[in-house]
Every structure is written in C-alpha cells, then in structure tokens.
C-alpha cells in the first residue's frame, strides 16, 4: 500500500479504503523487478579416505576370519548387566543408557571429534594411508579433575605406542598418538555432560568387581577416545595393552552412531596367547550393540580376551 499521508478530500476519498490503495505518485512509479536470489552451490562431497590396496586385501581376509568366528560363536549372556563371575569373559559388562545420559555424552563426543578435525589431530589406526579408521584422545579440563597429561602419564611409566610395534615404528606410533591428544576447554563439557559422566560412572561401578570400583571415578578418567570407523565394516580383534596405547584398568565403550554392531570377545584365537589346552582354542562369545548401548571391559574380559567389532549391514 501507500505510506504517504493525505486528506481524504484531496485524493477523492470519502472513507478509509479497504485493501491495498496507492496514490497517483505511487501508481506512476516504475515497478521494481523481483530479484532472483541465487542459492550458493552445494559444498563438494567429502572425499572418502581411500585404503591402500594391499591393506584392503588384508582387511577383507581379516574380516572374513572374524565373520567365521562370529558365525560359530556362543552368545554372551549378562546377568544384572555383568558376565557370570565363572565365565571366561568375566569382567565384561553391558547397559543401555537412558537418553538423559546418552544425549549429552553424544554431544560431548561430537565436540571432541569437531575439535580433532579442526586441529587436524585425528590419526589413522595403523599408520597414514593404510587404515580408514581414525582416533584421537581428549583429556578433561584441569578445572574438572587433576590434570592428566603427557608428563604425568610418562612419569607413571606409560609408553603411548602399540605394544606389538618395535624400534622406530614404535617411536613414530607413540609420537603420533601424543600429537592426536589435547585438553578440552571447560566450555566444551556442558553441565549436562558433567552430570551424565557422573551417572555413567555409577552405572559402571555396578558392573565391575569390588577390586576395580576404586578405579572407576571421574578423577581416574584418563581420556575420552573417539574411534571413527569411517564406514569400515569391522575392527580386528585386539588386546588393549595396559601401559601402552590401551591404557586404563577399566575400558568403557559407547556406540554413538551407525548400524547394529556385534562385539566379539575371543580367548585363544590369537597367536599372542600361549594356549595349550585344545578346548580353549578358538573360543568366541558375542553380544549385540546398538546406538546408546555401552559395554565395559575389566578383569579377564579386558586383560585376557581379545575384543573385535563386526558391523551388521554396513560400516559405521
């Protein structure tokens, strides 16, 4: 309509017009052409990290072996969220997290991954260009707990490389892991995430033996470690060696995204173990994991059994 002011008589009106009304000046103005707003072009699709062909061949063979083990595995049944104390996998625990706990931890995970990406700190699991899977390490802010850092961990005897590597390969791996580590800022850990961490700790305490309960506390939470599978369909069975890159008396893993996974716990399936009793060979137990589920490894499940991940219906 017209924004100018007139006396009714001056413009030939006897009452307030209904609807849109234009004075003669406005009618004579040239109509403005509507400008077409062009949307910015969509960002180019992110290139997927390509695996080394030789490594891919090894991966396929590795995955096929894990699939064969899982196919003949026995289901691991949890009682009250724990594996039976007389089971080979004693020390394994499981729980499905309430959304009030899971959602803040999922957001914290996203904050950590974003920071690792911004700083280009993510490291390949097995060396640059060989493995699409990536990981990094985040320490909680010193304002929340006593500081965990390189100096404190090395003073305690930690060597931050894979135990199976030797010489320069070990030193390179150790340095790469330290480079992928950083301290979170207090703003990165929301009040909801802090509450969720305390709630998670209580859930974990209920699922470990008494001798491990003192280790399960916020003060002893050494690091938060995102493991990005990047569409890889499995994680080979492995043992997280204490005092190396698999530090931690108790390991807690939460599935943050992706399709259902099968967690395999194996005893005697790897040459790392000296198994002399025939019935102990190739023993494997499995359980399913979905988004929001959490599993705990302590005791034999953590220190004796290998653990691997097989993704159902695709990678994650």
């Amino acid at each position: 309509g017209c924004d100018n002011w007139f006396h009714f008589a001056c413009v030939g009106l006897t009452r307030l017009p209904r609807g849109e009304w234009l004075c003669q000046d406005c009618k004579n103005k040239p109509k403005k052409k509507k400008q077409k707003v062009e949307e910015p072009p969509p960002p180019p699709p992110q290139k997927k990290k390509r695996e080394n062909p030789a490594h891919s061949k090894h991966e396929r063979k590795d995955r096929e072996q894990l699939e064969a083990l899982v196919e003949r595995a026995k289901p691991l049944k949890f009682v009250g969220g724990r594996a039976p104390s007389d089971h080979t996998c004693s020390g394994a625990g499981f729980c499905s997290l309430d959304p009030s706990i899971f959602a803040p931890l999922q957001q914290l995970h996203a904050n950590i991954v974003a920071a690792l990406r911004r700083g280009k700190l993510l490291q390949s699991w097995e060396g640059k260009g060989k493995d699409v899977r990536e990981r990094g390490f985040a320490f909680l802010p010193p304002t929340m707990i006593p500081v965990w850092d390189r100096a404190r961990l090395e003073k305690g005897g930690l060597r931050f490389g894979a135990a199976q590597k030797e010489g320069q390969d070990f030193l390179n791996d150790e340095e790469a892991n330290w480079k992928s580590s950083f301290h979170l800022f207090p703003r990165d850990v929301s009040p909801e995430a802090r509450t969720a961490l305390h709630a998670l700790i209580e859930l974990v305490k209920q699922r470990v033996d008494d001798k491990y309960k003192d280790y399960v506390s916020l003060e002893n939470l050494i690091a938060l470690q995102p493991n990005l599978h990047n569409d890889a369909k499995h994680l080979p069975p492995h043992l997280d060696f204490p005092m190396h890159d698999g530090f931690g008396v108790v390991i807690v893993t939460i599935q943050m995204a992706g399709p259902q996974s099968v967690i395999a716990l194996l005893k005697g399936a790897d040459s790392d173990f000296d198994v002399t009793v025939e019935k102990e060979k190739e023993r494997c137990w499995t359980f399913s994991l979905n988004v929001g589920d959490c599993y705990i490894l302590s005791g034999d499940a953590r220190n004796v059994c290998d653990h691997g991940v097989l993704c159902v219906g695709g990678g994650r």
Side-chain angles (χ1 to χ4, degrees):
C2 180
D3 291 330
N4 295 324
W5 288 79
F6 301 99
H7 296 104
F8 279 10
C10 295
V11 288
L13 293 174
T14 57
R15 61 181 177 79
L16 191 69
R18 294 180 180 177
E20 185 178 68
W21 181 86
L22 297 174
C23 70
Q24 199 59 42
D25 289 340
C26 289
K27 288 179 181 177
N28 294 333
K29 285 181 181 178
K31 292 184 178 180
K32 292 182 180 180
K33 292 182 179 181
K34 291 184 178 180
Q35 292 183 344
K36 186 178 179 182
V37 179
E38 293 186 4
E39 293 184 4
Q46 281 190 339
K47 291 183 179 180
K48 287 188 178 180
K49 193 174 178 182
R50 301 182 69 179
E51 286 189 285
N52 178 299
H55 184 75
S56 297
K57 185 177 179 181
H58 172 75
E59 282 279 289
R60 284 194 298 273
K61 183 179 178 182
D62 214 24
R63 185 173 65 247
E64 288 167 1
Q65 290 176 343
L66 180 57
E67 287 172 343
L69 280 169
V70 167
E71 194 173 325
R72 62 176 184 267
K74 301 172 184 176
L76 178 58
K77 296 179 180 179
F78 296 97
V79 180
R82 300 175 63 174
S85 58
D86 58 350
H87 196 282
T88 305
C89 302
S90 64
F94 175 88
C95 66
S96 293
L97 298 178
D98 185 272
S100 63
I101 298 174
F102 175 66
L105 296 180
Q106 190 181 41
Q107 184 57 57
L108 177 59
H109 174 269
N111 293 347
I112 294 170
V113 172
L116 288 166
R117 291 198 189 285
R118 284 195 305 270
K120 297 181 179 180
L121 301 177
L122 285 166
Q123 297 291 334
S124 170
W125 270 73
E126 292 188 15
K128 189 176 181 182
K130 292 183 179 180
D131 193 340
V132 297
R133 292 169 293 242
E134 297 173 304
R135 66 179 180 178
F137 302 86
F139 299 115
L140 287 174
T143 53
M144 283 184 64
I145 61 172
V147 64
W148 286 101
D149 57 14
R150 181 170 186 170
R152 183 180 178 187
L153 289 169
E154 286 187 336
K155 186 177 180 181
L158 179 77
R159 296 302 306 272
F160 206 5
Q164 66 270 25
K165 295 185 179 181
E166 298 177 347
Q168 192 60 45
D169 281 346
F170 176 87
L171 296 175
N172 291 342
D173 188 54
E174 183 176 38
E175 198 57 34
N177 284 331
W178 283 123
K179 285 181 179 178
S180 70
S181 306
F182 75 104
H183 271 99
L184 290 163
F185 289 108
R187 64 173 179 268
D188 295 324
V189 188
S190 67
E192 294 79 10
R194 297 177 190 221
T195 301
L197 284 171
H198 283 289
L200 177 64
I201 285 166
E202 292 307 311
L203 290 171
V204 173
K205 278 186 176 181
Q206 297 168 16
R207 288 160 175 80
V208 299
D209 288 343
D210 290 342
K211 61 182 176 181
Y212 297 118
K213 291 187 188 298
D214 286 344
Y215 293 100
V216 183
S217 67
L218 194 65
E219 292 73 21
N220 287 327
L221 178 52
I222 300 175
L224 304 169
Q225 177 188 334
N227 292 326
L228 308 181
H229 288 231
N230 294 330
D231 289 332
K233 294 183 179 179
H234 83 297
L235 182 64
H238 61 284
L239 182 71
D240 288 325
F241 283 88
M243 303 310 291
H244 285 81
D245 59 342
F247 54 73
V249 176
V250 178
I251 298 173
V252 181
T253 304
I254 303 170
Q255 179 159 334
M256 293 294 178
Q260 185 185 66
S261 303
V262 174
I263 307 302
L265 295 178
L266 305 90
K267 181 179 179 182
D270 194 289
S271 59
D272 287 343
F273 300 108
D274 181 19
V275 179
T276 55
V277 182
E278 187 65 29
K279 68 178 183 179
E280 289 289 331
K281 293 182 179 179
E282 300 286 307
R283 299 187 70 179
C284 180
W285 292 266
T286 60
F287 57 94
S288 297
L289 202 72
N290 293 289
V291 174
D293 288 345
C294 161
Y295 71 93
I296 301 111
L297 298 178
S298 64
D300 284 355
R302 185 254 182 276
N303 301 317
V304 177
C305 296
D306 280 15
H307 60 280
V309 181
L310 187 63
C311 300
V312 179
R316 67 171 185 169

